[in-house]
Amino acid sequence: MNMNKIEFVAFSVLSRQPTDIDARHYLRRDKLENQQQTVLLERPEEGVALLTLNRPAATNALSLELQQCLSDHFSALSNDPTVRCIVLTGGDKVFAAGGDITSLIEASPIDIYQRHTERLWAPIEQCPKPVIAAVCGYAYGGGCELAMLADIIIAGETAAFCQPEIAIGIMPGIGGTQRLVRAVGKAKAMQMALTGRPITAQEAFTAGLVSEVCDDDSVLEQALTNARRIARMPPLAAEQIKEVILAGMDASLPAAMALERKANALLFASEDQREGMVAFLEKRRAVFTGK
């Protein structure tokens, strides 16, 4: 995707203004939206859950309804012992265009505060299971922030990542400054947040934001291939690896190393540790039960 086209799309998404239509239209629209599933859940194979953002007409803009639905799904999947890895996608055209600006333009500071979006996003942020984002098209604003909550990001060649909030007079509010700087460093985070310009999938890969770039047609399959491999691994070890990497990022190296040593020692109390080592010696595939 050419950068001029990307910038035009970013401007178009962010510059939408509500038309002068009476409140009854909005009530009817909201009622209809509430009646459809804004996030679809599938189980493509054993151990893997696939969540698809489902507001194609609104380029998967993150309405409060969609955020609540996503939050509910992650809460349930986090506590489902049959799920070992979660794949999150917006489909093959767009990941998510960001916040629903029509619901923000007249909002007051108290309205924004009382939304408590941090509570809606907490089940995603705190999900103990590995999460893979499969990103096609653009991940802008809240869409980029949502992708950054994943542990692995698989991006299509035409994917683009952007924090364009400055262009509408605000700033990122759900991790677009703090998670971004931890992912790509101060220089690139400052450039993205202050200019509002998108970066390509290849630039995101070079900066460390994206795990892998592949053909657009292969994004979901590549994400599912990673998920399938993770789902075959011992779930306790996967959860401990995720927990220690995330907790260690903001700790000193000695403190992070201590976390690593204790988590590693803890896994020696699991049945999966013995199964994995015995299977290795017997030259067979291990069968992990999560115990």
Side-chain angles (χ1 to χ4, degrees):
M1 186 183 294
N2 137 339
M3 291 303 295
N4 289 333
K5 184 176 179 182
I6 293 172
E7 289 175 355
F8 173 75
V9 171
F11 178 78
S12 299
V13 169
L14 287 171
S15 61
R16 289 182 189 147
Q17 301 294 326
T19 55
D20 189 20
I21 301 174
D22 66 42
R24 286 173 297 176
H25 171 80
Y26 285 105
L27 289 173
R28 286 196 300 271
R29 186 189 66 183
D30 290 344
K31 184 176 180 181
L32 287 172
E33 181 172 283
N34 287 333
Q35 289 173 347
Q36 71 178 5
Q37 289 181 292
T38 55
V39 180
L40 305 178
L41 170 63
E42 299 173 75
R43 303 293 184 100
E45 51 194 280
E46 186 178 359
V48 177
L50 173 62
L51 292 173
T52 304
L53 307 183
N54 187 39
R55 293 189 72 205
T59 56
N60 290 336
L62 301 176
S63 64
L64 287 176
E65 292 81 8
L66 185 149
Q67 292 180 58
Q68 183 63 65
C69 189
L70 197 58
S71 179
D72 292 343
H73 277 305
F74 268 92
S75 293
L77 294 173
S78 292
N79 293 299
D80 185 342
T82 68
V83 174
R84 296 187 177 185
C85 188
I86 301 167
V87 175
L88 176 63
T89 183
D92 59 1
K93 302 297 183 186
V94 58
F95 184 69
D100 192 344
I101 296 175
T102 58
S103 69
L104 296 173
I105 192 166
E106 298 295 341
S108 71
I110 298 302
D111 292 333
I112 298 299
Y113 174 76
Q114 290 181 333
R115 286 186 176 205
H116 288 295
T117 51
E118 78 282 359
R119 297 177 188 173
L120 288 178
W121 288 49
I124 312 172
E125 179 184 10
Q126 297 166 11
C127 179
K129 301 177 181 182
V131 178
I132 301 173
V135 179
C136 289
Y138 43 89
Y140 288 173
C144 186
E145 291 168 312
L146 178 59
M148 286 191 287
L149 286 173
D151 305 302
I152 296 171
I153 300 178
I154 309 295
E157 289 180 339
T158 61
F161 299 82
C162 184
Q163 296 295 163
E165 291 85 353
I166 192 170
I168 55 170
I170 58 173
M171 63 175 283
I174 4 178
T177 61
Q178 300 310 303
R179 288 194 183 90
L180 186 62
V181 74
R182 285 164 170 77
V184 304
K186 175 191 169 187
K188 180 57 77 174
M190 285 287 192
Q191 184 183 44
M192 288 179 67
L194 291 173
T195 67
R197 291 193 61 186
I199 61 173
T200 65
Q202 193 57 54
E203 288 174 311
F205 175 74
T206 302
L209 181 61
V210 163
S211 310
E212 182 180 346
V213 178
C214 59
D215 293 340
D216 290 339
D217 294 341
S218 305
V219 172
L220 183 57
E221 184 50 45
Q222 191 60 23
L224 289 172
T225 296
N226 277 266
R228 189 180 305 118
R229 182 176 178 85
I230 291 170
R232 289 200 300 261
M233 299 297 177
L236 292 176
E239 290 184 14
Q240 285 298 299
I241 288 169
K242 174 172 178 171
E243 182 178 328
V244 170
I245 287 177
L246 294 178
M249 285 174 63
D250 292 324
S252 67
L253 182 58
M257 291 297 294
L259 288 174
E260 182 182 83
R261 288 194 300 273
K262 290 178 181 178
N264 183 50
L266 178 64
L267 291 172
F268 276 78
S270 69
E271 293 177 13
D272 282 347
Q273 171 266 328
R274 178 167 179 78
E275 165 64 9
M277 293 187 177
V278 169
F280 177 81
L281 294 174
E282 293 178 350
K283 296 181 170 49
R284 61 174 174 83
R285 174 175 288 184
V287 178
F288 297 115
T289 61
K291 297 180 181 178

